[in-house]
Amino acid sequence: MNDYILEMQDITKIFPGVKALDNVNFQVKRGEIHALVGENGAGKSTLMKVLSGVHPYGSYTGRIMLDGKEQRYNGIKESENAGIAIIYQELALVKEMNIAENIYLGNEIKKMGMIDWNKTIANTSKLLKEVGLDDNPLTKIIKLGIGKQQLIEIAKAISKNVNILILDEPTAALNETESENLLNIIRGLKSKGVTCIYISHKLNEVKDIADNITILRDGQTISTMVNDDSMTEDKIISLMVGRELTQRFPRKEHKPLEPVLEVDNLTVYNPEMPDKKMLDNISFTARKGEILGIAGLMGAGRTELAMSLFGSYGVNKSGTVKIEGKEEVINNPRTAIRKGLCYLSEDRKVNGLVLGMDIKENTTLANLHKISRNGVINDNEEIKITNQYVKALKTKTPSIEQKVSNLSGGNQQKVVLAKWLMADPKVLILDEPTRGIDVGAKYEIYNIMNELVEKGVSIIMISSELPEILGMSDRILIMHEGKLTGELDYKEASQEVVMQYATGGM
Ligand SMILES: Nc1ncnc2c1ncn2[C@@H]1O[C@H](COP(=O)(O)OP(=O)(O)OP(=O)(O)O)[C@@H](O)[C@H]1O
Ligand SMILES: [Mg+2]
């Protein structure tokens, strides 16, 4: 038998204006965990979409060999039948359906022509347990956080009989405990003989879990290396970006000025369950010219806090919010933006981007008044401003007329960021701002945050990546079960102390 379960040979894939894959060779050994890394737009997701038949045979050149036999998939069903399962970077669950329906969508368990609900539900419970969840299989997806949704995607993939499991940034939305849990699930699958292709920008995880690592840059294979001690994170980074990157966090000493946002005794109830308190008596201030980090585990209420301030969560609330000393009642995003408060949401697909529109339209969406006169958009102005942001953020795209649905995940995130930067906010709430962003681009985003803060903007950064919170914040608030449990100056903060507050242990 061939050592390689999978060989992709000389794969070239061209989109209008973009050579996404340029003669890529990619070989995966049977039963290994093979990491695929590279900057945003390097071609990782495209390579996996070629493999899974999303980009069908004929739309690319080159050969796919599975167990030494050439494969020509015309669609995802065919690759699934060959034992390949893929979990996409963009979650693809149907929000209005429940967990069980989603897991067996397209693969319904039937008895005498009818869906066998008892079996569907029982199997779903079992699968959920395998990924560490104990939710009711009949729970609708919309009621679940993005982290849980990711775990359900994984349960769905393992419900199919997989030989090769492809995970495209599976932990981007998970916190550290959940990521660790997921890595263990993958190790378990490996011990059962499943081969895994693992895409991630979290290089510590890659180091942790991979047997071999392949690096893509600009649509080309740079190299495949054994993940041994000589393969340090720094070495992976320099291979990815083609230069050394010595420092991950450009920390600057900021000089925080007067408070710009003052929150007093904010209590907010769940809009769907009126008895359920999501935020419990929260009080804090954010000052001009500082980065205020908010840490906490998933479900601690960080996103609910951000959305409440932005007016996009429940209106059943009490307490006061002041902006520049003046009490404001913000019950919708429009008011928030007008008052100078912007929110970059953690889920860019739901709240951040209109996927069918192009980069230029998305960038200026929240700021049309800035480029219009008498209700007419000045096209030249729109083009000029968008180009400035594309350049500043190094967004990879053939043109600003590209639909954002065609951009790589990380580059979509840059477009959302541009949109809010353009709004010129007083308070900018960033919810997981670097999720899915490669290390080089993260650094650029941190520099932009520093520049904004130096201009007097107040940045509130919610992040599940503790190194990012510790590396960039001036002050850190920690939440646990809807309450603020701690506040630290960055100088007194460490992973351990933050985690203690975050688990309610202090
Ligand atoms: N359907 C499409 N139409 C046009 N261009 C596309 C399409 N899909 C991908 N591209 C382009 O191909 C290139 C590679 O994108 P891909 O999504 O594979 O990157 P990636 O390595 O997965 O990046 P990320 O880490 O940001 O997810 C990018 O320049 C992207 O804009
Ligand atoms: Mg991708």
Side-chain angles (χ1 to χ4, degrees):
M1 220 187 329
N2 194 329
D3 255 8
Y4 293 109
I5 186 167
L6 171 72
E7 289 171 277
M8 297 182 79
Q9 299 169 343
D10 300 323
I11 305 286
T12 294
K13 169 80 194 164
I14 296 171
F15 296 110
V18 186
K19 199 175 211 179
L21 298 172
D22 185 1
N23 261 308
V24 168
N25 285 291
F26 182 55
Q27 296 182 307
V28 178
K29 286 192 183 135
R30 194 177 313 282
E32 73 161 329
I33 298 175
H34 196 121
L36 186 59
V37 302
E39 291 182 291
N40 297 131
K44 305 176 297 289
S45 298
T46 304
L47 187 66
M48 293 303 104
K49 286 179 184 167
V50 165
L51 173 58
S52 61
V54 171
H55 299 314
Y57 179 74
S59 73
Y60 58 89
T61 60
R63 292 204 303 171
I64 301 174
M65 311 290 285
L66 198 68
D67 284 316
K69 285 196 277 299
E70 187 175 356
Q71 308 289 308
R72 298 179 169 184
Y73 304 133
N74 290 308
I76 182 111
K77 263 277 169 235
E78 292 183 21
S79 66
E80 264 181 34
N81 290 340
I84 297 172
I86 179 166
I87 299 176
Y88 299 103
Q89 187 167 9
E90 275 74 39
L91 298 178
L93 298 171
V94 184
K95 304 232 169 196
E96 283 305 324
M97 289 168 77
N98 65 38
I99 300 176
E101 286 168 325
N102 265 284
I103 287 189
Y104 287 101
L105 188 65
N107 291 300
E108 288 79 8
I109 306 175
K110 293 198 174 148
K111 201 162 89 185
M112 298 189 294
M114 308 268 280
I115 294 185
D116 182 346
W117 281 110
N118 289 338
K119 196 158 176 212
T120 302
I121 290 168
N123 285 5
T124 302
S125 293
K126 234 189 288 162
L127 287 164
L128 289 180
K129 272 206 199 82
E130 281 192 52
V131 295
L133 292 177
D134 59 0
D135 293 73
N136 184 333
L138 298 178
T139 313
K140 277 194 181 161
I141 298 298
I142 201 161
K143 305 246 165 170
L144 304 172
I146 188 163
K148 276 194 181 175
Q149 291 184 33
Q150 183 62 277
L151 291 174
I152 288 162
E153 289 273 11
I154 289 155
K156 178 171 180 167
I158 56 185
S159 76
K160 300 165 188 163
N161 257 336
V162 288
N163 295 326
I164 301 182
L165 177 64
I166 304 163
L167 297 126
D168 196 347
E169 293 191 53
T171 63
L174 306 188
N175 67 39
E176 306 212 355
T177 325
E178 290 156 332
S179 301
E180 191 48 48
N181 171 31
L182 174 77
L183 295 189
N184 283 331
I185 290 165
I186 296 171
R187 288 189 189 101
L189 291 170
K190 176 183 162 174
S191 70
K192 289 181 194 150
V194 176
T195 305
C196 215
I197 300 172
Y198 193 81
I199 299 177
S200 180
H201 288 293
K202 297 186 183 173
L203 299 180
N204 55 339
E205 288 178 358
V206 167
K207 277 300 299 171
D208 232 23
I209 199 163
D211 297 302
N212 284 292
I213 303 174
T214 291
I215 293 138
L216 286 186
R217 194 200 307 153
D218 291 332
Q220 296 181 332
T221 327
I222 298 302
S223 62
T224 293
M225 325 256 279
V226 179
N227 182 24
D228 58 16
D229 290 343
S230 71
M231 197 60 180
T232 59
E233 279 186 47
D234 284 342
K235 187 161 170 200
I236 302 173
I237 292 170
S238 63
L239 287 168
M240 272 170 57
V241 302
R243 61 185 155 82
E244 298 279 330
L245 191 81
T246 46
Q247 187 199 13
R248 298 262 191 108
F249 301 103
R251 174 174 286 291
K252 285 255 171 74
E253 283 295 327
H254 302 130
K255 295 196 186 66
L257 306 165
E258 68 272 20
V260 55
L261 175 73
E262 293 165 90
V263 177
D264 272 305
N265 301 317
L266 181 66
T267 293
V268 180
Y269 292 85
N270 188 318
E272 309 213 354
M273 289 175 266
D275 295 332
K276 191 161 183 221
K277 243 188 220 174
M278 298 306 287
L279 298 173
D280 191 355
N281 221 12
I282 303 261
S283 300
F284 71 93
T285 55
R287 300 193 189 93
K288 281 191 177 174
E290 75 168 345
I291 299 177
L292 179 63
I294 303 188
L297 301 178
M298 199 165 47
R302 295 168 303 165
T303 294
E304 287 78 3
L305 174 59
M307 289 173 67
S308 297
L309 295 172
F310 191 55
S312 60
Y313 194 67
V315 288
N316 182 4
K317 55 188 175 185
S318 59
T320 59
V321 173
K322 289 186 194 156
I323 294 178
E324 291 184 324
K326 189 163 162 275
E327 190 172 333
E328 304 287 0
V329 178
I330 297 175
N331 281 331
N332 58 60
R334 204 153 24 96
T335 311
I337 296 168
R338 213 175 52 231
K339 300 292 175 189
L341 189 144
C342 291
Y343 170 54
L344 178 139
S345 99
E346 62 172 337
D347 187 350
R348 58 180 168 257
K349 257 182 124 173
V350 176
N351 304 313
L353 286 177
V354 183
L355 288 174
M357 297 200 328
D358 67 18
I359 297 184
K360 156 169 85 37
E361 291 161 325
N362 271 286
T363 303
T364 55
L365 193 60
N367 303 289
L368 288 175
H369 61 281
K370 289 198 177 158
I371 52 161
S372 316
R373 191 168 295 164
N374 303 325
V376 182
I377 296 177
N378 179 338
D379 291 336
N380 289 336
E381 196 60 18
E382 184 174 45
I383 291 168
K384 192 176 116 207
I385 290 184
T386 307
N387 273 322
Q388 280 168 3
Y389 284 109
V390 164
K391 207 164 144 219
L393 296 171
K394 302 201 175 75
T395 311
K396 195 179 166 195
T397 177
S399 96
I400 58 171
E401 263 112 40
Q402 181 76 302
K403 275 197 185 153
V404 292
S405 57
N406 288 340
L407 295 181
S408 79
N411 285 301
Q412 290 184 3
Q413 182 73 346
K414 292 184 188 176
V415 176
V416 194
L417 192 60
K419 166 171 139 186
W420 294 126
L421 291 179
M422 188 184 161
D424 205 6
K426 293 176 188 144
V427 180
L428 178 59
I429 306 177
L430 304 174
D431 199 347
E432 308 288 356
T434 66
R435 171 179 290 165
I437 300 254
D438 70 57
V439 277
K442 269 186 188 168
Y443 194 82
E444 285 150 24
I445 288 177
Y446 298 143
N447 278 331
I448 289 167
M449 286 167 59
N450 278 336
E451 277 168 32
L452 289 172
V453 164
E454 273 156 25
K455 283 191 207 144
V457 176
S458 170
I459 291 184
I460 300 176
M461 177 175 67
I462 299 171
S463 173
S464 299
E465 286 192 45
L466 275 185
E468 172 170 277
I469 290 270
L470 296 171
M472 288 305 294
S473 311
D474 298 296
R475 255 187 324 139
I476 300 163
L477 301 177
I478 303 123
M479 292 182 70
H480 173 66
E481 293 182 348
K483 295 193 175 73
L484 271 184
T485 51
E487 175 180 340
L488 298 165
D489 187 89
Y490 84 90
K491 291 192 181 110
E492 48 181 359
S494 66
Q495 299 232 7
E496 292 71 31
V497 180
V498 172
M499 279 315 283
Q500 263 170 349
Y501 283 113
T503 50
M506 269 177 114

